[in-house]
Amino acid sequence: MTDKERIAVLESKIRLLEAKIAELESDLSDAYSDLDGRLEHMIKTRSENIAVFGIAATIIIGLAQIVIILVK
């Protein structure tokens, strides 16, 4: 095999590696976007749950205060 043939083979391998790297970067970007979306959804859901719990607790405490005032 001549030097030119070896160089051609190496250049071909380099192009294949560059294509694989680009594919992996794309996959990583997709995975990051998916993870980011899942985290945003989870945070939103948890925030809503905390808000509902806070409202329920406020209503219960308010009702308890009204009952205490009425019993006095």
Side-chain angles (χ1 to χ4, degrees), residues 60-72:
I60 291 170
I61 291 170
L63 289 174
Q65 288 176 336
I66 291 171
V67 169
I68 290 170
I69 290 171
L70 292 175
V71 170
K72 281 185 175 180

Side-chain angles (χ1 to χ4, degrees), residues 16-53:
L16 289 173
L17 287 173
E18 288 173 341
K20 186 64 176 175
I21 289 170
E23 181 184 340
L24 290 172
E25 286 176 338
S26 175
D27 290 346
L28 182 60
S29 177
D30 292 345
Y32 176 78
S33 296
D34 184 55
L35 179 61
D36 188 48
R38 288 181 186 203
L39 285 172
E40 285 181 17
H41 176 70
M42 186 173 61
I43 290 169
K44 181 181 176 187
T45 302
R46 288 199 177 179
S47 295
E48 289 172 355
N49 290 343
I50 290 170
V52 168
F53 176 77

Side-chain angles (χ1 to χ4, degrees), residues 1-13:
M1 184 180 279
T2 66
D3 287 344
K4 287 184 180 182
E5 290 172 335
R6 287 185 186 128
I7 290 171
V9 168
L10 290 174
E11 287 175 344
S12 174
K13 288 181 180 182

